[in-house]
Amino acid sequence: MAPSSFLLSVLLTLAALHGTSAVEYVVDNRATNLPGGIKFDNEIGADYARQRMMTASEYIWRLFQQNTEADRKNVARVTLVIDPNMKPEDIAYASNNEIHMGDNYINRIQGDARGDDFNGVLYHEMVHIWQWDGNGASGIGGLIEGIADFVRLKAGYVPSHWVQPGEGNNWNQRSDVTARFLDYCNDVRNGFVAELNKKMRTSYSDQFFVDLLGKNIDQLWREYKAKYGM
C-alpha cells in the first residue's frame, strides 16, 4: 500500500471511531489491467470507495439502532475487492467481511461511475456485512436480501427497474418487493426493521412479525396490497 493510501486508511479508521470500535476499510483492485478495473481507478477511485464504505456503515448502524459496540458484529476490517473472476452478468456479493464487485459490472455502469448505481450496490452489500442472519437460520435468504434492499431504499439509491410500492405477488418474491413491503411495515411501527434485525441476532421465526406488529405476515401483506389498491 502506498504511503498516501496507508495514511488515508488510518484517517478513515480514526474517523470511524464513535466511542466504540474502529473499523478498517480496504480496497483491493485485482483487475487493474482490465476495463472494469481501469474504470474503477480512473472514475471511482480507492479513496472515494473507502469513504463511501465508512459512510454506509455509519448509516446502517443508525438505521439498525446499533449505537454501541455490543449491538454490532465484531468486524475489524471490511475489504472491497474488484474481482476479475466473477461471471460477466454478476454484480456483487459479500462473504467473510469482503465485498466482491465484478469488474464487468463496474465497466457496465452508465453515466457517473460514482453515482446511484455504484453507491446503491455498495450500500446493499455493506448491509450484509453488518446485519444479523438469524444465526444461520435456513430459508430466510429472501428476507436477508430484502432487508439489504430496504436499507438501499432508505438511503435513496432506488434503481428505476424496481417494483413500485404495492406491486408484487408475494412479500418475498424478490428483494425489491420485500424491501417495499418492509418499508410499509416500518411505517406501521417506526423502527420495525431495526427491531427485527435485533431479534435475528440469535434465531428467526415468522412469529417475529406478530411479536412486533401484532399481525402475521400474510395479513400484513394483504393490508399492504390493499393500501395501494392492488
CSV table of all heavy atoms in Angstrom, one decimal, residues 4-67:
chain,number,residue,atom,x,y,z
A,4,SER,N,0.5,7.3,0.9
A,4,SER,CA,-0.7,8.2,1.0
A,4,SER,C,-2.0,7.3,1.2
A,4,SER,O,-2.9,7.7,2.0
A,4,SER,CB,-0.9,8.9,-0.3
A,4,SER,OG,-1.0,8.1,-1.4
A,5,SER,N,-2.1,6.2,0.6
A,5,SER,CA,-3.2,5.3,0.8
A,5,SER,C,-3.2,4.8,2.2
A,5,SER,O,-4.3,4.6,2.9
A,5,SER,CB,-3.2,4.1,-0.2
A,5,SER,OG,-3.3,4.6,-1.5
A,6,PHE,N,-2.0,4.5,2.8
A,6,PHE,CA,-2.0,4.0,4.2
A,6,PHE,C,-2.5,5.1,5.1
A,6,PHE,O,-3.2,4.8,6.0
A,6,PHE,CB,-0.6,3.6,4.5
A,6,PHE,CG,-0.4,3.2,5.9
A,6,PHE,CD1,-0.8,2.0,6.4
A,6,PHE,CD2,0.2,4.1,6.8
A,6,PHE,CE1,-0.6,1.6,7.7
A,6,PHE,CE2,0.4,3.7,8.2
A,6,PHE,CZ,-0.1,2.5,8.6
A,7,LEU,N,-2.0,6.3,4.9
A,7,LEU,CA,-2.4,7.4,5.7
A,7,LEU,C,-3.9,7.6,5.7
A,7,LEU,O,-4.6,7.8,6.7
A,7,LEU,CB,-1.7,8.7,5.3
A,7,LEU,CG,-2.1,10.0,6.1
A,7,LEU,CD1,-1.8,9.8,7.6
A,7,LEU,CD2,-1.4,11.2,5.5
A,8,LEU,N,-4.5,7.5,4.5
A,8,LEU,CA,-6.0,7.7,4.3
A,8,LEU,C,-6.7,6.6,5.1
A,8,LEU,O,-7.7,6.8,5.8
A,8,LEU,CB,-6.4,7.7,2.9
A,8,LEU,CG,-7.9,7.9,2.6
A,8,LEU,CD1,-8.3,9.3,3.1
A,8,LEU,CD2,-8.2,7.7,1.2
A,9,SER,N,-6.2,5.4,5.0
A,9,SER,CA,-6.8,4.2,5.7
A,9,SER,C,-6.8,4.5,7.2
A,9,SER,O,-7.8,4.3,7.9
A,9,SER,CB,-6.1,2.9,5.4
A,9,SER,OG,-6.7,1.9,6.1
A,10,VAL,N,-5.7,5.0,7.7
A,10,VAL,CA,-5.6,5.3,9.1
A,10,VAL,C,-6.6,6.4,9.5
A,10,VAL,O,-7.3,6.3,10.5
A,10,VAL,CB,-4.2,5.7,9.5
A,10,VAL,CG1,-4.1,6.3,10.9
A,10,VAL,CG2,-3.2,4.6,9.4
A,11,LEU,N,-6.7,7.5,8.7
A,11,LEU,CA,-7.6,8.6,9.0
A,11,LEU,C,-9.0,8.1,9.0
A,11,LEU,O,-9.8,8.5,9.8
A,11,LEU,CB,-7.4,9.7,8.0
A,11,LEU,CG,-6.0,10.5,8.1
A,11,LEU,CD1,-5.9,11.5,6.9
A,11,LEU,CD2,-5.9,11.2,9.4
A,12,LEU,N,-9.4,7.3,8.0
A,12,LEU,CA,-10.7,6.8,7.9
A,12,LEU,C,-11.1,5.9,9.1
A,12,LEU,O,-12.2,5.9,9.6
A,12,LEU,CB,-11.0,6.0,6.6
A,12,LEU,CG,-11.0,6.9,5.3
A,12,LEU,CD1,-11.1,6.0,4.1
A,12,LEU,CD2,-12.2,7.8,5.4
A,13,THR,N,-10.1,5.1,9.5
A,13,THR,CA,-10.3,4.2,10.7
A,13,THR,C,-10.5,5.1,11.9
A,13,THR,O,-11.4,4.8,12.7
A,13,THR,CB,-9.0,3.4,10.9
A,13,THR,OG1,-8.9,2.5,9.8
A,13,THR,CG2,-9.2,2.5,12.2
A,14,LEU,N,-9.7,6.2,12.1
A,14,LEU,CA,-9.9,7.1,13.2
A,14,LEU,C,-11.3,7.8,13.1
A,14,LEU,O,-12.0,7.9,14.1
A,14,LEU,CB,-8.8,8.1,13.3
A,14,LEU,CG,-7.4,7.5,13.6
A,14,LEU,CD1,-6.4,8.6,13.5
A,14,LEU,CD2,-7.4,6.9,15.0
A,15,ALA,N,-11.7,8.1,11.9
A,15,ALA,CA,-13.0,8.8,11.8
A,15,ALA,C,-14.1,7.9,12.1
A,15,ALA,O,-15.2,8.4,12.4
A,15,ALA,CB,-13.1,9.4,10.3
A,16,ALA,N,-13.9,6.6,12.0
A,16,ALA,CA,-15.0,5.7,12.2
A,16,ALA,C,-15.2,5.4,13.7
A,16,ALA,O,-16.1,4.7,14.1
A,16,ALA,CB,-14.7,4.3,11.5
A,17,LEU,N,-14.3,6.0,14.5
A,17,LEU,CA,-14.5,5.8,16.0
A,17,LEU,C,-15.6,6.7,16.5
A,17,LEU,O,-15.6,7.9,16.3
A,17,LEU,CB,-13.1,6.2,16.7
A,17,LEU,CG,-12.0,5.1,16.6
A,17,LEU,CD1,-10.7,5.8,17.0
A,17,LEU,CD2,-12.4,4.0,17.4
A,18,HIS,N,-16.5,6.2,17.2
A,18,HIS,CA,-17.6,6.9,17.8
A,18,HIS,C,-17.8,6.4,19.2
A,18,HIS,O,-18.8,6.1,19.7
A,18,HIS,CB,-18.9,6.7,17.0
A,18,HIS,CG,-18.9,7.4,15.7
A,18,HIS,ND1,-19.1,8.7,15.5
A,18,HIS,CD2,-18.6,6.9,14.4
A,18,HIS,CE1,-19.0,9.0,14.2
A,18,HIS,NE2,-18.7,7.9,13.5
A,19,GLY,N,-16.6,6.4,19.9
A,19,GLY,CA,-16.7,5.8,21.3
A,19,GLY,C,-16.8,4.3,21.3
A,19,GLY,O,-17.1,3.8,22.4
A,20,THR,N,-16.7,3.7,20.2
A,20,THR,CA,-16.8,2.2,20.1
A,20,THR,C,-15.6,1.7,19.5
A,20,THR,O,-14.5,2.1,19.8
A,20,THR,CB,-18.1,1.8,19.3
A,20,THR,OG1,-18.0,2.4,18.0
A,20,THR,CG2,-19.4,2.4,20.0
A,21,SER,N,-15.7,0.7,18.6
A,21,SER,CA,-14.6,0.1,18.0
A,21,SER,C,-14.2,0.7,16.6
A,21,SER,O,-15.1,1.3,16.0
A,21,SER,CB,-14.8,-1.4,17.8
A,21,SER,OG,-15.9,-1.6,17.0
A,22,ALA,N,-13.0,0.6,16.2
A,22,ALA,CA,-12.6,1.1,14.9
A,22,ALA,C,-12.8,0.0,13.9
A,22,ALA,O,-12.6,-1.2,14.1
A,22,ALA,CB,-11.1,1.5,15.0
A,23,VAL,N,-13.0,0.4,12.7
A,23,VAL,CA,-13.2,-0.5,11.5
A,23,VAL,C,-12.2,0.0,10.4
A,23,VAL,O,-12.2,1.2,10.1
A,23,VAL,CB,-14.6,-0.5,11.0
A,23,VAL,CG1,-14.7,-1.5,9.8
A,23,VAL,CG2,-15.6,-1.0,12.1
A,24,GLU,N,-11.4,-0.9,9.9
A,24,GLU,CA,-10.5,-0.5,8.8
A,24,GLU,C,-11.2,-0.8,7.5
A,24,GLU,O,-11.8,-1.9,7.3
A,24,GLU,CB,-9.2,-1.3,8.9
A,24,GLU,CG,-8.2,-0.9,7.8
A,24,GLU,CD,-6.9,-1.7,7.8
A,24,GLU,OE1,-6.9,-2.7,8.6
A,24,GLU,OE2,-6.0,-1.4,7.1
A,25,TYR,N,-11.2,0.1,6.5
A,25,TYR,CA,-11.8,-0.1,5.2
A,25,TYR,C,-10.7,-0.2,4.2
A,25,TYR,O,-9.9,0.7,4.0
A,25,TYR,CB,-12.7,1.0,4.9
A,25,TYR,CG,-13.9,1.1,5.9
A,25,TYR,CD1,-13.8,1.9,7.0
A,25,TYR,CD2,-15.0,0.3,5.8
A,25,TYR,CE1,-14.8,2.0,8.0
A,25,TYR,CE2,-16.0,0.3,6.7
A,25,TYR,CZ,-15.9,1.1,7.8
A,25,TYR,OH,-16.9,1.2,8.7
A,26,VAL,N,-10.7,-1.3,3.4
A,26,VAL,CA,-9.6,-1.6,2.5
A,26,VAL,C,-10.2,-1.8,1.1
A,26,VAL,O,-11.3,-2.4,1.0
A,26,VAL,CB,-8.8,-2.9,2.9
A,26,VAL,CG1,-7.8,-3.3,1.9
A,26,VAL,CG2,-8.2,-2.7,4.3
A,27,VAL,N,-9.5,-1.4,0.1
A,27,VAL,CA,-9.9,-1.6,-1.3
A,27,VAL,C,-8.8,-2.4,-2.0
A,27,VAL,O,-7.6,-2.0,-1.9
A,27,VAL,CB,-10.2,-0.3,-2.1
A,27,VAL,CG1,-10.4,-0.6,-3.5
A,27,VAL,CG2,-11.3,0.5,-1.4
A,28,ASP,N,-9.2,-3.5,-2.6
A,28,ASP,CA,-8.2,-4.4,-3.3
A,28,ASP,C,-8.7,-4.5,-4.8
A,28,ASP,O,-9.6,-5.3,-5.1
A,28,ASP,CB,-8.2,-5.7,-2.6
A,28,ASP,CG,-7.2,-6.7,-3.3
A,28,ASP,OD1,-6.5,-6.3,-4.2
A,28,ASP,OD2,-7.2,-7.9,-2.8
A,29,ASN,N,-8.1,-3.8,-5.7
A,29,ASN,CA,-8.5,-3.8,-7.1
A,29,ASN,C,-7.6,-4.9,-7.7
A,29,ASN,O,-6.4,-4.7,-8.0
A,29,ASN,CB,-8.2,-2.5,-7.8
A,29,ASN,CG,-8.7,-2.5,-9.2
A,29,ASN,OD1,-9.1,-3.5,-9.8
A,29,ASN,ND2,-8.7,-1.4,-9.9
A,30,ARG,N,-8.2,-6.1,-8.0
A,30,ARG,CA,-7.5,-7.2,-8.6
A,30,ARG,C,-7.7,-7.2,-10.1
A,30,ARG,O,-7.3,-8.2,-10.8
A,30,ARG,CB,-8.0,-8.5,-8.0
A,30,ARG,CG,-7.8,-8.6,-6.5
A,30,ARG,CD,-8.3,-9.9,-5.9
A,30,ARG,NE,-8.3,-9.8,-4.5
A,30,ARG,CZ,-8.8,-10.8,-3.7
A,30,ARG,NH1,-9.5,-11.8,-4.2
A,30,ARG,NH2,-8.7,-10.7,-2.4
A,31,ALA,N,-8.2,-6.1,-10.7
A,31,ALA,CA,-8.5,-6.1,-12.1
A,31,ALA,C,-7.9,-4.8,-12.7
A,31,ALA,O,-8.4,-4.2,-13.7
A,31,ALA,CB,-10.0,-6.1,-12.4
A,32,THR,N,-6.7,-4.5,-12.3
A,32,THR,CA,-6.1,-3.2,-12.7
A,32,THR,C,-5.8,-3.1,-14.2
A,32,THR,O,-5.7,-2.0,-14.7
A,32,THR,CB,-4.8,-2.9,-11.9
A,32,THR,OG1,-3.9,-4.1,-12.0
A,32,THR,CG2,-5.1,-2.7,-10.4
A,33,ASN,N,-5.6,-4.3,-14.8
A,33,ASN,CA,-5.3,-4.3,-16.3
A,33,ASN,C,-6.5,-4.6,-17.1
A,33,ASN,O,-6.4,-4.7,-18.4
A,33,ASN,CB,-4.2,-5.3,-16.6
A,33,ASN,CG,-2.9,-4.9,-15.9
A,33,ASN,OD1,-2.5,-3.7,-15.8
A,33,ASN,ND2,-2.2,-5.9,-15.3
A,34,LEU,N,-7.7,-4.7,-16.5
A,34,LEU,CA,-8.9,-5.0,-17.3
A,34,LEU,C,-9.8,-3.7,-17.3
A,34,LEU,O,-9.7,-2.8,-16.5
A,34,LEU,CB,-9.7,-6.1,-16.6
A,34,LEU,CG,-9.0,-7.5,-16.6
A,34,LEU,CD1,-9.7,-8.5,-15.7
A,34,LEU,CD2,-8.8,-8.0,-18.0
A,35,PRO,N,-10.7,-3.6,-18.3
A,35,PRO,CA,-11.5,-2.4,-18.5
A,35,PRO,C,-12.2,-2.0,-17.2
A,35,PRO,O,-12.2,-0.8,-16.9
A,35,PRO,CB,-12.5,-2.8,-19.6
A,35,PRO,CG,-11.8,-3.8,-20.4
A,35,PRO,CD,-11.0,-4.6,-19.4
A,36,GLY,N,-12.9,-2.9,-16.5
A,36,GLY,CA,-13.6,-2.5,-15.3
A,36,GLY,C,-12.6,-2.0,-14.2
A,36,GLY,O,-13.0,-1.1,-13.5
A,37,GLY,N,-11.5,-2.7,-14.0
A,37,GLY,CA,-10.6,-2.2,-13.0
A,37,GLY,C,-10.0,-0.9,-13.4
A,37,GLY,O,-9.7,0.0,-12.5
A,38,ILE,N,-9.7,-0.7,-14.6
A,38,ILE,CA,-9.2,0.6,-15.1
A,38,ILE,C,-10.2,1.7,-14.8
A,38,ILE,O,-9.9,2.8,-14.3
A,38,ILE,CB,-8.8,0.6,-16.5
A,38,ILE,CG1,-7.6,-0.4,-16.7
A,38,ILE,CG2,-8.4,2.0,-17.1
A,38,ILE,CD1,-7.2,-0.7,-18.2
A,39,LYS,N,-11.5,1.4,-15.2
A,39,LYS,CA,-12.5,2.4,-14.9
A,39,LYS,C,-12.7,2.7,-13.5
A,39,LYS,O,-12.9,3.8,-13.1
A,39,LYS,CB,-13.8,1.8,-15.5
A,39,LYS,CG,-15.0,2.8,-15.4
A,39,LYS,CD,-16.3,2.3,-16.1
A,39,LYS,CE,-17.4,3.3,-16.0
A,39,LYS,NZ,-18.6,2.9,-16.8
A,40,PHE,N,-12.6,1.6,-12.6
A,40,PHE,CA,-12.7,1.9,-11.2
A,40,PHE,C,-11.6,2.8,-10.7
A,40,PHE,O,-11.9,3.8,-10.0
A,40,PHE,CB,-12.5,0.6,-10.4
A,40,PHE,CG,-12.5,0.7,-8.9
A,40,PHE,CD1,-13.7,0.8,-8.2
A,40,PHE,CD2,-11.3,0.8,-8.2
A,40,PHE,CE1,-13.7,1.0,-6.8
A,40,PHE,CE2,-11.3,1.0,-6.8
A,40,PHE,CZ,-12.5,1.1,-6.2
A,41,ASP,N,-10.3,2.6,-11.1
A,41,ASP,CA,-9.3,3.5,-10.7
A,41,ASP,C,-9.4,4.9,-11.2
A,41,ASP,O,-9.2,5.9,-10.5
A,41,ASP,CB,-7.9,2.9,-11.2
A,41,ASP,CG,-7.4,1.8,-10.4
A,41,ASP,OD1,-7.9,1.6,-9.2
A,41,ASP,OD2,-6.6,1.0,-10.9
A,42,ASN,N,-9.9,5.1,-12.5
A,42,ASN,CA,-10.0,6.4,-13.1
A,42,ASN,C,-11.2,7.2,-12.7
A,42,ASN,O,-11.2,8.4,-12.6
A,42,ASN,CB,-9.9,6.2,-14.6
A,42,ASN,CG,-8.6,5.8,-15.1
A,42,ASN,OD1,-7.6,5.9,-14.4
A,42,ASN,ND2,-8.5,5.2,-16.3
A,43,GLU,N,-12.3,6.5,-12.5
A,43,GLU,CA,-13.6,7.2,-12.3
A,43,GLU,C,-14.2,7.1,-10.9
A,43,GLU,O,-15.1,7.9,-10.6
A,43,GLU,CB,-14.6,6.7,-13.4
A,43,GLU,CG,-14.2,6.9,-14.8
A,43,GLU,CD,-15.2,6.5,-15.8
A,43,GLU,OE1,-16.4,6.6,-15.5
A,43,GLU,OE2,-14.9,6.1,-17.0
A,44,ILE,N,-13.8,6.1,-10.2
A,44,ILE,CA,-14.3,5.9,-8.8
A,44,ILE,C,-13.2,6.2,-7.8
A,44,ILE,O,-13.2,7.1,-7.0
A,44,ILE,CB,-14.9,4.5,-8.6
A,44,ILE,CG1,-16.1,4.3,-9.5
A,44,ILE,CG2,-15.4,4.3,-7.1
A,44,ILE,CD1,-16.7,3.0,-9.5
A,45,GLY,N,-12.2,5.3,-7.8
A,45,GLY,CA,-11.0,5.5,-7.0
A,45,GLY,C,-11.1,4.8,-5.6
A,45,GLY,O,-12.2,4.8,-5.0
A,46,ALA,N,-10.0,4.3,-5.2
A,46,ALA,CA,-10.0,3.6,-3.9
A,46,ALA,C,-10.3,4.6,-2.7
A,46,ALA,O,-11.0,4.2,-1.8
A,46,ALA,CB,-8.6,3.0,-3.7
A,47,ASP,N,-9.9,5.8,-2.8
A,47,ASP,CA,-10.1,6.8,-1.7
A,47,ASP,C,-11.6,7.0,-1.6
A,47,ASP,O,-12.2,7.0,-0.5
A,47,ASP,CB,-9.4,8.1,-2.0
A,47,ASP,CG,-7.9,8.0,-1.9
A,47,ASP,OD1,-7.4,6.9,-1.5
A,47,ASP,OD2,-7.2,8.9,-2.3
A,48,TYR,N,-12.3,7.3,-2.7
A,48,TYR,CA,-13.7,7.5,-2.7
A,48,TYR,C,-14.5,6.3,-2.2
A,48,TYR,O,-15.4,6.4,-1.4
A,48,TYR,CB,-14.2,7.9,-4.1
A,48,TYR,CG,-15.7,8.0,-4.1
A,48,TYR,CD1,-16.3,9.2,-3.7
A,48,TYR,CD2,-16.6,7.0,-4.6
A,48,TYR,CE1,-17.7,9.4,-3.8
A,48,TYR,CE2,-17.9,7.2,-4.7
A,48,TYR,CZ,-18.5,8.4,-4.3
A,48,TYR,OH,-19.9,8.5,-4.3
A,49,ALA,N,-14.1,5.1,-2.7
A,49,ALA,CA,-14.8,3.9,-2.3
A,49,ALA,C,-14.6,3.6,-0.8
A,49,ALA,O,-15.6,3.3,-0.1
A,49,ALA,CB,-14.2,2.7,-3.0
A,50,ARG,N,-13.5,3.9,-0.2
A,50,ARG,CA,-13.3,3.7,1.3
A,50,ARG,C,-14.2,4.7,2.0
A,50,ARG,O,-14.8,4.3,3.0
A,50,ARG,CB,-11.8,3.9,1.6
A,50,ARG,CG,-11.0,2.6,1.4
A,50,ARG,CD,-9.6,2.8,2.0
A,50,ARG,NE,-8.8,3.8,1.3
A,50,ARG,CZ,-7.9,3.4,0.4
A,50,ARG,NH1,-7.7,2.2,0.0
A,50,ARG,NH2,-7.2,4.4,-0.2
A,51,GLN,N,-14.2,5.9,1.6
A,51,GLN,CA,-15.0,6.9,2.2
A,51,GLN,C,-16.5,6.5,2.2
A,51,GLN,O,-17.2,6.6,3.2
A,51,GLN,CB,-14.8,8.3,1.6
A,51,GLN,CG,-15.6,9.4,2.3
A,51,GLN,CD,-17.0,9.6,1.8
A,51,GLN,OE1,-17.3,9.3,0.7
A,51,GLN,NE2,-17.8,10.0,2.7
A,52,ARG,N,-17.0,5.9,1.1
A,52,ARG,CA,-18.4,5.5,1.0
A,52,ARG,C,-18.6,4.3,1.8
A,52,ARG,O,-19.7,4.1,2.3
A,52,ARG,CB,-18.7,5.3,-0.5
A,52,ARG,CG,-18.6,6.5,-1.4
A,52,ARG,CD,-19.4,7.7,-0.8
A,52,ARG,NE,-20.9,7.4,-0.8
A,52,ARG,CZ,-21.8,8.0,-0.1
A,52,ARG,NH1,-21.4,9.0,0.7
A,52,ARG,NH2,-23.0,7.7,-0.2
A,53,MET,N,-17.7,3.4,1.9
A,53,MET,CA,-17.8,2.2,2.8
A,53,MET,C,-18.0,2.7,4.3
A,53,MET,O,-18.9,2.2,5.0
A,53,MET,CB,-16.6,1.3,2.7
A,53,MET,CG,-16.5,0.6,1.4
A,53,MET,SD,-14.8,-0.1,1.1
A,53,MET,CE,-14.9,-1.5,2.2
A,54,MET,N,-17.2,3.7,4.7
A,54,MET,CA,-17.4,4.2,6.0
A,54,MET,C,-18.7,4.9,6.2
A,54,MET,O,-19.4,4.6,7.2
A,54,MET,CB,-16.3,5.2,6.3
A,54,MET,CG,-16.3,5.8,7.7
A,54,MET,SD,-15.0,7.0,8.0
A,54,MET,CE,-15.5,8.3,7.0
A,55,THR,N,-19.1,5.7,5.3
A,55,THR,CA,-20.4,6.4,5.3
A,55,THR,C,-21.6,5.4,5.4
A,55,THR,O,-22.5,5.6,6.1
A,55,THR,CB,-20.6,7.3,4.1
A,55,THR,OG1,-19.5,8.3,4.1
A,55,THR,CG2,-21.9,8.1,4.2
A,56,ALA,N,-21.5,4.3,4.6
A,56,ALA,CA,-22.5,3.3,4.5
A,56,ALA,C,-22.6,2.6,5.9
A,56,ALA,O,-23.7,2.4,6.4
A,56,ALA,CB,-22.2,2.3,3.4
A,57,SER,N,-21.5,2.3,6.5
A,57,SER,CA,-21.5,1.6,7.8
A,57,SER,C,-22.2,2.5,8.8
A,57,SER,O,-23.1,2.0,9.6
A,57,SER,CB,-20.1,1.3,8.3
A,57,SER,OG,-19.5,0.3,7.5
A,58,GLU,N,-21.9,3.8,8.9
A,58,GLU,CA,-22.5,4.7,9.8
A,58,GLU,C,-24.0,4.8,9.6
A,58,GLU,O,-24.7,4.8,10.6
A,58,GLU,CB,-21.8,6.0,9.8
A,58,GLU,CG,-20.3,6.0,10.2
A,58,GLU,CD,-19.6,7.3,10.0
A,58,GLU,OE1,-20.1,8.1,9.1
A,58,GLU,OE2,-18.6,7.5,10.6
A,59,TYR,N,-24.4,4.8,8.4
A,59,TYR,CA,-25.8,4.9,8.0
A,59,TYR,C,-26.5,3.7,8.5
A,59,TYR,O,-27.6,3.7,9.1
A,59,TYR,CB,-26.0,5.1,6.5
A,59,TYR,CG,-27.4,5.3,6.1
A,59,TYR,CD1,-28.1,6.5,6.2
A,59,TYR,CD2,-28.2,4.2,5.7
A,59,TYR,CE1,-29.4,6.7,5.9
A,59,TYR,CE2,-29.5,4.3,5.4
A,59,TYR,CZ,-30.1,5.6,5.5
A,59,TYR,OH,-31.4,5.7,5.1
A,60,ILE,N,-25.9,2.5,8.2
A,60,ILE,CA,-26.6,1.2,8.6
A,60,ILE,C,-26.7,1.1,10.1
A,60,ILE,O,-27.7,0.7,10.7
A,60,ILE,CB,-25.8,0.1,8.0
A,60,ILE,CG1,-25.9,0.0,6.5
A,60,ILE,CG2,-26.2,-1.3,8.6
A,60,ILE,CD1,-24.8,-0.7,5.8
A,61,TRP,N,-25.6,1.5,10.8
A,61,TRP,CA,-25.6,1.5,12.3
A,61,TRP,C,-26.8,2.3,12.9
A,61,TRP,O,-27.5,1.9,13.8
A,61,TRP,CB,-24.3,1.9,12.9
A,61,TRP,CG,-23.1,1.1,12.6
A,61,TRP,CD1,-23.2,-0.3,12.2
A,61,TRP,CD2,-21.8,1.4,12.6
A,61,TRP,NE1,-21.9,-0.7,12.0
A,61,TRP,CE2,-21.0,0.3,12.2
A,61,TRP,CE3,-21.1,2.6,12.9
A,61,TRP,CZ2,-19.6,0.3,12.1
A,61,TRP,CZ3,-19.7,2.6,12.8
A,61,TRP,CH2,-19.0,1.5,12.4
A,62,ARG,N,-26.9,3.5,12.3
A,62,ARG,CA,-28.0,4.4,12.8
A,62,ARG,C,-29.4,3.8,12.5
A,62,ARG,O,-30.3,3.8,13.3
A,62,ARG,CB,-27.9,5.8,12.1
A,62,ARG,CG,-26.8,6.6,12.6
A,62,ARG,CD,-26.9,8.1,12.2
A,62,ARG,NE,-27.0,8.3,10.8
A,62,ARG,CZ,-26.0,8.4,10.0
A,62,ARG,NH1,-24.7,8.4,10.5
A,62,ARG,NH2,-26.1,8.6,8.7
A,63,LEU,N,-29.6,3.3,11.2
A,63,LEU,CA,-30.9,2.7,10.8
A,63,LEU,C,-31.2,1.5,11.7
A,63,LEU,O,-32.4,1.3,12.0
A,63,LEU,CB,-30.8,2.4,9.3
A,63,LEU,CG,-32.2,2.1,8.7
A,63,LEU,CD1,-33.1,3.4,8.8
A,63,LEU,CD2,-32.0,1.7,7.3
A,64,PHE,N,-30.2,0.7,11.9
A,64,PHE,CA,-30.4,-0.5,12.7
A,64,PHE,C,-30.4,-0.3,14.2
A,64,PHE,O,-30.5,-1.2,15.0
A,64,PHE,CB,-29.3,-1.6,12.4
A,64,PHE,CG,-29.5,-2.3,11.1
A,64,PHE,CD1,-28.6,-3.2,10.6
A,64,PHE,CD2,-30.7,-2.1,10.3
A,64,PHE,CE1,-28.7,-3.9,9.4
A,64,PHE,CE2,-30.9,-2.8,9.2
A,64,PHE,CZ,-29.9,-3.7,8.7
A,65,GLN,N,-30.2,1.0,14.6
A,65,GLN,CA,-30.1,1.4,16.0
A,65,GLN,C,-29.0,0.6,16.7
A,65,GLN,O,-29.2,0.2,17.9
A,65,GLN,CB,-31.5,1.2,16.7
A,65,GLN,CG,-32.6,2.0,16.1
A,65,GLN,CD,-34.0,1.7,16.6
A,65,GLN,OE1,-34.1,1.0,17.6
A,65,GLN,NE2,-35.0,2.3,16.0
A,66,GLN,N,-27.9,0.4,16.1
A,66,GLN,CA,-26.8,-0.3,16.6
A,66,GLN,C,-25.8,0.8,17.2
A,66,GLN,O,-24.8,1.2,16.6
A,66,GLN,CB,-26.1,-1.1,15.6
A,66,GLN,CG,-27.0,-2.3,15.1
A,66,GLN,CD,-26.3,-3.1,14.1
A,66,GLN,OE1,-25.5,-2.6,13.2
A,66,GLN,NE2,-26.6,-4.4,14.0
A,67,ASN,N,-26.2,1.3,18.3
A,67,ASN,CA,-25.5,2.5,18.9
A,67,ASN,C,-24.3,2.2,19.7
A,67,ASN,O,-23.5,3.1,20.0
A,67,ASN,CB,-26.5,3.3,19.7
A,67,ASN,CG,-27.7,3.8,18.9
A,67,ASN,OD1,-27.5,4.2,17.8
A,67,ASN,ND2,-28.9,3.6,19.5
